Amino acid sequence: MARLDEHGERIPLTVADFNARQGTVTVVIQAVGKTTIEMMALREGDFLLDFIGPLGLPSHIRELDGAVVLVGGGLGVAPIFPQLREYKNAGNRTISIVGFRNRDLMFWEDQFREFSDELIVTTDDGSYGRKGFVSHALADVIGSNQDVREVVAIGPLPMMKACCEVTRPSGIPTIVSLNSIMVDGTGMCGSCRVTVGGKMKFACVDGADFDGHLVNFDELALRQKRFEHEEKAALARYQSESAVLASLKMPAESGGLPPLSTCELPTPVAAPPKPMVPKNLRSIQPERAPMPQQEPEVRRHNFEEVALGLDLEAALHEAERCLRCKKPRCIPGCPVGIDIPGFIAAIQRKDIRGAYRILKSTNALPAVCGRVCPQESQCEATCVVGVKYQPVSIGRLERFVADCAMGRGWDEFPSTGVPAQKKAAIIGSGPAGLACAGELARNGVQVTVFEALHVAGGVLKYGIPEFRLPDVIIDAEIENLKKMGVEIRLDTVIGKLFTIPQLLGGMGYQTAFVGTGAGSPKFAQIPGEAYNGVFSANEFLTRVNLMRGYRQPLYDTPVGMGKRVAVVGAGNTAMDACRVALRMGAEQVTCVYRRTRHESPARAEELEHAIEEGVEFMWLTAPIEIVGDSSGWVTGMLCRRMELGEPDASGRRRPVPVAGPDLLLDVDTVIYALGTTANPIIAQTTPGLKVNKWGYIEIDERSRMTSVPGVFAGGDIVTGAATVILAMGAGKQAARAMLEYMSASPAGSV
């Protein structure tokens, strides 16, 4: 997977060859779109901003008791070559068939002859070799060779389909590669889904090699047109308006220089010599300080932060509502154990820096948590004030303090001056990984965080829109971790580039923490999910948030959204998808949920914001089929009315169908926000790592260790999809266990 520059999209490139000794990888590209045309203009010494791999599962190459036929068409000739070489080196008789449109597009004939017992070259126009298609040549080879045991075909979809139809009557196993349909390459978005044997598979996780006789090529061919319009428009702009595009003025990014707080700080009041006397409910204001925010009609057209934050006066008002309980209930409600009365008491004394110091002692990301954590179901849910009045706005106060600290240099980075004797690897830079890294670094451990994507932050970056959590806030928190000595290595897919056994072996890490998140999206498994216009929320939000799809044409990543959008689900991710769709220009956005508003898992605040911005809701409604046209595009979604029955395993009443006619929603885009499942890459490549029946990693609840000694895990990859603060709590707990484990192990041992 490659990205040319900061504004570029991620595109799949197939490895055609490599030389480990020289440290080189060979890829072959053809100029067909804006990104590949730009790549063709690169000169020796130029660079790609991101190059991620290898991705997918390794090809299964072994010695067979007969011939292997390797068929490459067009650019597929390049990736078929290393397979040819390995099949030959394994002792097989090899027959190669390579096809091109004409002689001018030919390449690598000599390399193929070196490893082929027989080589057949075809061109569509007959300008070189045999005239015709590779599938015709394949039919002749099979007809004249009775010992063909396997066929490998790589090239355009119509070519691979034709080869599979040639081999189907004789039952010769035929392997095809679907690497070209990958998008993020890590199993996160579900865009590379393909129907194989009637079941949904992801090319980047389950492939890219598949049994060609089981692949639904017709479905794939329609899906190849998803972003055709946007890609053609991008190419036209590049060709005719490159000078204009280069000077195009766009709204300022939220990224860049660290944010600076503009809040004028008061003079702190000295702390009293004795503990402050607890208040009672009669002595406090019953109402919370209101949160300033953009007006709905304004904010639905921009990606700027909706909630604007408390000012000093409002923060002091809110802090005075804290009762200073002798036995505070709020602290046990916080997964990372923040001294909530302590930091609020510091605000009461106008000691904002002191409040920040208290927050940072237990929470590595206070500016993040103050914005996105569901305090209403955690610390604020147990606030004594909430028994009679609205609870203290703990989250808003946390945000206020963290925002005040921005750019003031308040963070402390203790250094012993002695090189760290312990090394720990963190896999994933989401909330769990960052919390674990911060705790370890604070205790003198040399920490390296490995992140599969091209930016750090995990779900905080790709999953949460800027209007809820600005990137600049995440970046500032991550920069503080770097100042503590944490190294972050991007574009590194653990399980592909390196494995956990390698980290704990030759790479010298004593322990590792897996905080990769759940990752893989869920679909409803109903007819029509292969139509263009069907997204997982992961893919949709990643295209818009991480890849800056909302800033087209300055950024290249296509989004492919229509005008009438249905979002299935009613959690926080569903609210994000709904609100992003509005900002991306949807004329109508409908949230479809099979239960009632009462059962919606979304935060009340996010639900209210969505309603204010114009999202429509269809409660007690479940999709049963996605309808499309002959060109492969969504034209509607068939739904069934539901009612609530008895509670299910989650404790919520189970939705059951209601008798009566189904209803057809007029939509052209369907976004699934049904949660996620475990990404299998780590489990597939870590011998002895135990997972449960859902694929989540099993850990010992006391030690936080997995079944592999020295390997710990936490967050969504253990619990399933949960909240940012719960993942951070798990990361902190694991860090303490890792410190204990390393203390019991001699330095440098595994």
Side-chain angles (χ1 to χ4, degrees):
M1 199 65 61
R3 190 169 68 120
L4 186 60
D5 54 36
E6 183 61 36
H7 293 176
E9 60 179 325
R10 289 165 65 103
I11 65 169
L13 297 176
T14 303
V15 175
D17 206 354
F18 64 92
N19 188 315
R21 187 173 302 171
Q22 295 179 359
T24 61
V25 172
T26 300
V27 297
V28 177
I29 61 173
Q30 183 177 2
V32 294
K34 177 179 180 292
T35 300
T36 49
I37 288 175
E38 289 180 296
M39 284 184 172
M40 295 289 280
L42 293 174
R43 298 166 297 179
E44 184 175 349
D46 290 343
F47 64 91
L48 300 177
L49 185 59
D50 297 290
F51 194 82
I52 308 104
L55 303 171
L57 299 175
S59 299
H60 184 49
I61 296 175
R62 71 280 186 211
E63 184 178 6
L64 301 169
D65 61 344
V68 179
V69 182
L70 297 108
V71 188
L75 284 188
V77 170
I80 206 76
F81 172 71
Q83 296 207 36
L84 163 67
R85 183 176 58 200
E86 293 306 310
Y87 271 106
K88 188 61 182 176
N89 290 339
N92 293 289
R93 186 166 74 89
T94 56
I95 302 172
S96 300
I97 305 171
V98 294
F100 305 91
R101 288 204 302 270
N102 55 58
R103 181 171 186 160
D104 292 339
L105 295 175
M106 274 186 56
F107 61 92
W108 288 9
E109 180 181 1
D110 292 341
Q111 287 95 318
F112 272 81
R113 288 197 185 280
E114 180 181 354
F115 294 97
S116 303
D117 292 291
E118 180 181 354
L119 173 64
I120 301 171
V121 179
T122 73
T123 52
D124 295 356
D125 62 0
S127 56
Y128 188 80
R130 171 176 170 165
K131 182 177 181 179
F133 299 142
V134 292
S135 54
H136 298 157
L138 175 61
D140 291 345
V141 167
I142 291 173
S144 59
N145 291 268
Q146 301 302 310
D147 65 339
V148 174
R149 297 292 179 261
E150 188 165 275
V151 172
V152 181
I154 305 179
L157 292 178
M159 182 223 97
M160 291 190 288
K161 178 184 178 182
C163 289
C164 292
E165 293 310 310
V166 168
T167 60
R168 191 185 301 276
S170 56
I172 298 173
T174 303
I175 308 302
V176 297
S177 177
L178 302 181
N179 58 285
S180 63
I181 70 171
M182 291 187 192
V183 176
D184 77 271
T186 65
M188 181 185 74
C189 72
S191 181
C192 64
R193 61 189 183 274
V194 54
T195 302
V196 181
K199 296 182 179 180
M200 183 185 293
K201 301 288 185 181
F202 294 163
C204 62
V205 172
D206 303 307
D209 292 349
F210 293 99
D211 181 344
H213 294 153
L214 300 179
V215 172
N216 188 328
F217 283 103
D218 294 336
E219 182 182 275
L220 271 182
L222 292 175
R223 282 178 56 76
Q224 290 295 91
K225 300 177 182 179
R226 285 190 303 158
F227 306 114
E228 191 174 54
H229 174 74
E230 288 170 281
E231 288 169 345
K232 285 182 177 179
L235 179 58
R237 283 194 303 270
Y238 176 73
Q239 291 174 328
S240 64
E241 301 176 7
S242 57
V244 176
L245 187 62
S247 61
L248 189 63
K249 300 298 183 182
M250 298 289 285
E253 287 262 17
S254 65
L257 296 175
L260 299 176
S261 172
T262 58
C263 178
E264 185 174 343
L265 299 182
T267 302
V269 177
K274 296 181 180 180
M276 298 179 72
V277 178
K279 300 180 181 180
N280 58 58
L281 287 171
R282 292 189 299 274
S283 65
I284 66 169
Q285 293 291 327
E287 298 295 327
R288 287 177 158 186
M291 170 64 85
Q293 59 186 34
Q294 291 191 69
E295 290 299 320
E297 184 52 39
V298 174
R299 69 188 191 228
R300 63 175 287 169
H301 299 293
N302 67 60
F303 277 80
E304 296 169 11
E305 193 167 13
V306 170
L308 304 178
L310 301 179
D311 60 16
L312 177 61
E313 181 181 357
L316 292 174
H317 165 93
E318 193 60 33
E320 286 298 332
R321 299 182 67 240
C322 178
L323 294 178
R324 302 194 288 263
C325 304
K326 286 185 177 180
K327 295 182 179 180
R329 301 178 186 176
C330 50
I331 297 178
C334 175
V336 296
I338 292 173
D339 179 6
I340 294 170
F343 98 81
I344 293 179
I347 298 174
Q348 292 173 344
R349 299 193 305 272
K350 303 181 181 179
D351 183 6
I352 312 303
R353 184 170 186 172
Y356 184 68
R357 188 180 300 114
I358 294 170
L359 281 173
K360 288 289 285 190
S361 68
T362 51
N363 185 357
L365 311 173
V368 171
C369 293
R371 285 168 163 82
V372 301
C373 286
Q375 293 93 358
E376 66 274 11
S377 62
Q378 294 176 156
C379 54
E380 293 177 9
T382 56
C383 175
V384 173
V385 174
V387 174
K388 185 174 182 180
Y389 304 133
Q390 292 179 322
V392 176
S393 300
I394 299 169
R396 294 175 181 179
L397 290 175
E398 181 179 22
R399 170 185 167 170
F400 167 78
V401 172
D403 286 359
C404 282
M406 291 289 177
R408 296 187 188 272
W410 287 355
D411 286 276
E412 299 172 355
F413 310 108
S415 175
T416 62
V418 179
Q421 299 297 308
K422 309 289 185 181
K423 288 180 64 178
I426 308 295
I427 304 166
S429 68
L434 294 177
C436 185
E439 191 72 12
L440 291 173
R442 191 177 290 114
N443 284 274
V445 177
Q446 182 181 339
V447 180
T448 304
V449 178
F450 296 94
E451 169 55 50
L453 296 173
H454 57 272
V455 295
V459 69
L460 302 175
K461 272 295 182 79
Y462 72 76
I464 303 179
E466 290 253 13
F467 56 78
R468 276 219 295 140
L469 179 60
D471 279 355
V472 68
I473 299 298
I474 308 166
D475 294 340
E477 301 277 40
I478 291 172
E479 192 60 33
N480 285 336
L481 288 176
K482 290 180 180 179
K483 291 176 181 177
M484 294 173 66
V486 174
E487 178 188 5
I488 298 180
R489 295 181 60 177
L490 305 174
D491 297 330
T492 307
V493 184
I494 300 300
K496 299 298 181 183
L497 188 60
F498 307 119
T499 64
I500 286 179
Q502 287 176 313
L503 292 174
L504 299 182
M507 296 178 71
Y509 293 95
Q510 292 169 271
T511 181
F513 172 77
V514 181
T516 54
S520 296
K522 288 181 181 178
F523 290 83
Q525 306 298 324
I526 61 175
E529 291 179 341
Y531 282 121
N532 296 326
V534 179
F535 297 83
S536 70
N538 269 13
E539 179 187 1
F540 178 66
L541 293 174
T542 297
R543 287 183 176 278
V544 175
N545 300 337
L546 180 71
M547 300 306 300
R548 294 289 192 266
Y550 74 97
R551 290 176 60 80
Q552 288 182 334
L554 190 60
Y555 286 78
D556 294 339
T557 297
V559 177
M561 187 194 78
K563 294 297 183 182
R564 302 177 310 283
V565 179
V567 176
V568 182
N572 289 326
T573 301
M575 298 305 108
D576 288 341
C578 288
R579 299 171 69 195
V580 165
L582 283 174
R583 287 161 172 79
M584 289 297 292
E587 296 171 358
Q588 182 179 38
V589 177
T590 305
C591 181
V592 178
Y593 186 52
R594 60 182 186 158
R595 291 184 168 94
T596 71
R597 176 174 176 171
H598 178 72
E599 285 80 25
S600 165
R603 295 184 68 185
E605 180 180 67
E606 303 305 326
L607 188 58
E608 287 296 330
H609 282 169
I611 293 171
E612 290 171 358
E613 290 168 9
V615 175
E616 299 176 13
F617 287 82
M618 293 185 68
W619 307 109
L620 292 171
T621 305
I624 58 174
E625 182 181 354
I626 297 171
V627 182
D629 59 24
S630 59
S631 60
W633 289 91
V634 172
T635 59
M637 186 168 73
L638 194 63
C639 297
R640 185 162 293 166
R641 293 294 188 186
M642 312 295 282
E643 64 183 5
L644 296 182
E646 296 300 314
D648 61 14
S650 70
R652 294 177 297 176
R653 294 173 64 190
R654 183 189 303 276
V656 294
V658 174
D662 298 326
L663 61 150
L664 181 65
L665 293 187
D666 178 21
V667 297
D668 55 16
T669 302
V670 176
I671 302 172
Y672 280 122
L674 300 176
T676 53
T677 59
N679 190 310
I681 292 177
I682 294 293
Q684 289 171 347
T685 58
T686 309
L689 185 67
K690 291 184 178 179
V691 297
N692 62 22
K693 63 181 180 180
W694 298 284
Y696 297 113
I697 296 174
E698 293 184 350
I699 62 170
D700 180 272
E701 291 299 328
R702 187 193 65 79
S703 70
R704 320 302 296 178
M705 194 185 298
T706 70
S707 56
V708 178
V711 178
F712 298 76
D716 291 3
I717 193 59
V718 172
T719 61
T723 63
V724 168
I725 194 66
L726 287 174
M728 290 181 62
K732 280 194 65 175
Q733 292 172 16
R736 297 189 189 107
M738 293 164 75
L739 290 167
E740 183 178 337
Y741 175 81
M742 287 186 284
S743 297
S745 303
S749 68
V750 176

